[in-house]
Amino acid sequence: MIILANLTNLDEIAFLFEEYRAFYKQEPDPIGAREFLKARIQSNESVIYGFKEENQLIGFTQLYPSYSSTRMKRIWILNDLFVLPEHRGKGISKKLIDAAKELAISTNAAGLLLETAKTNDIGNSLYPATGFHLESDTNFYWWTAPGS
């Protein structure tokens, strides 16, 4: 079942968020993760969906709003998607992506944008299977701020 994250399920979401961060080899910071998510929820700066099975949260996705000047519409950045390893292969990621698509439709957005590592074999097969296409005519650049 898809649920919307809020302050009452913050601890469950924060646990999954830390597992997600560990997947990307980030240093553990459970207090920082909880505070980060709490601030996003309280400020309405992101939309976080969770997937519950048998009263346990086992997956989540987090989306951030942005805008496309050329399309003159909102876009949603599907920034995070994670399912606990023991629950993968059950279609949970697809259900979370479907919830993200519904958000885009209900907010009259132009679409969803996401980034994943070239080495993320699971994601790189999942995203095309759910209707995403790889943009091959653009370059993605990143600038790191000093001290980050």
Side-chain angles (χ1 to χ4, degrees):
M1 162 175 56
I2 299 287
I3 58 121
L4 183 62
N6 56 46
L7 295 179
T8 61
N9 53 31
L10 177 60
D11 290 334
E12 288 179 284
I13 292 288
F15 169 77
L16 288 176
F17 188 66
E18 268 297 279
E19 293 293 308
Y20 167 79
R21 292 181 70 252
F23 176 81
Y24 281 103
K25 300 182 181 12
Q26 298 300 304
E27 289 295 318
D29 185 0
I31 294 169
R34 186 180 190 285
E35 290 305 308
F36 177 83
L37 293 175
K38 182 179 178 183
R40 301 294 73 73
I41 292 168
Q42 286 179 323
S43 302
N44 291 316
E45 293 175 338
S46 72
V47 174
I48 306 169
Y49 293 114
F51 188 87
K52 262 195 170 177
E53 186 176 81
E54 297 179 12
N55 213 28
Q56 179 191 6
L57 206 56
I58 58 175
F60 83 100
T61 189
Q62 180 167 211
L63 299 108
Y64 293 102
S66 189
Y67 295 90
S68 169
S69 297
T70 56
R71 293 178 182 97
M72 295 187 298
K73 282 189 152 190
R74 174 192 307 267
I75 59 173
W76 287 96
I77 300 170
L78 195 160
N79 204 73
D80 312 318
L81 177 66
F82 181 78
V83 175
L84 290 172
E86 62 270 22
H87 294 282
R88 293 181 185 157
K90 300 178 183 177
I92 295 167
S93 292
K94 289 180 180 179
K95 290 176 183 176
L96 289 164
I97 289 171
D98 286 344
K101 288 177 179 178
E102 286 299 318
L103 175 67
I105 292 166
S106 71
T107 58
N108 195 32
L112 300 171
L113 174 69
L114 66 85
E115 169 194 1
T116 194
K118 292 180 187 256
T119 57
N120 182 354
D121 294 332
I122 294 171
N124 286 310
S125 62
L126 169 68
Y127 299 127
T130 57
F132 286 84
H133 67 276
L134 182 62
E135 291 286 325
S136 59
D137 58 346
T138 60
N139 291 328
F140 184 85
Y141 292 93
W142 175 259
W143 175 79
T144 300
S148 293

